[in-house]
């Protein structure tokens, strides 16, 4: 199963088989993705502005080359994926000042809505229980904007 074969609506079930050479209890990335999404109340691109207006912190984790190519996400704070947890964990000495409320809604946005699901799940495990991500990522949001122009 390829990444593109995994529906980005959060409602998929995995029909994946295990490789006999995998360690006991090991997951595939596709299984981990589906498991991560089970605990997320994912945001549809058409609802992103409403989430922001309600006070959600929108975090763009796309690499600089993708942001340069496709543009910025207005109103989002950019945090590199490799430091995301340190910048948002309420107990981290490296936390950003805007991440001062563990109950705040956080919407993680990546390019297509895959790595953001994994990141949001990790943030939830750090106690940021309202962390989630954007279905389809930046590309889905941009496509919706192009349709409305």
């Amino acid at each position: 199963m390829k990444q593109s074969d995994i529906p980005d609506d959060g409602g998929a079930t995995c029909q994946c088989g295990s490789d006999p050479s995998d360690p006991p209890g090991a997951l595939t990335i596709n299984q981990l993705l589906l498991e991560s999404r089970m605990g997320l109340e994912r945001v549809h691109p058409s609802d992103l502005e409403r989430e922001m207006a309600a006070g959600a912190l929108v975090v763009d984790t796309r690499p600089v080359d993708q942001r340069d190519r496709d543009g910025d996400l207005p109103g989002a704070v950019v945090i590199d994926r490799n430091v995301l947890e340190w910048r948002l964990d309420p107990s981290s000495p490296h936390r950003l000042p805007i991440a001062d409320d563990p109950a705040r809604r956080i919407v993680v946005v990546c390019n297509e809505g895959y790595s953001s699901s994994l990141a949001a799940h990790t943030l939830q495990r750090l106690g940021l229980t309202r962390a989630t991500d954007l279905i389809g990522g930046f590309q889905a949001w941009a496509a919706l904007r192009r349709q409305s122009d």
Side-chain angles (χ1 to χ4, degrees), residues 80-149:
D80 289 338
R81 176 63 192 99
N82 65 322
V83 295
L84 180 71
E85 290 82 359
W86 286 269
R87 299 299 183 255
L88 297 180
D89 178 359
S91 69
S92 173
H94 306 289
R95 173 183 55 84
L96 295 173
I98 58 171
D100 60 350
D101 181 2
R104 186 176 189 185
R105 176 81 149 171
I106 298 171
V107 181
V108 182
V109 180
C110 68
N111 194 49
E112 294 182 344
Y114 295 97
S115 68
S116 58
S117 294
L118 300 172
H121 176 73
T122 302
L123 293 175
Q124 285 185 348
R125 296 200 57 203
L126 291 173
L128 301 166
T129 58
R130 297 188 64 216
T132 190
D133 76 322
L134 185 68
I135 296 170
F138 180 86
Q139 294 303 320
W141 174 84
L144 186 66
R145 284 196 47 145
R146 284 191 300 272
Q147 287 176 356
S148 65
D149 287 345

Side-chain angles (χ1 to χ4, degrees), residues 56-70:
L57 175 63
V58 177
V59 178
D60 187 347
T61 62
R62 293 176 299 142
V64 67
D65 61 316
Q66 290 177 352
R67 293 191 315 270
D68 287 347
R69 180 190 68 210
D70 298 331

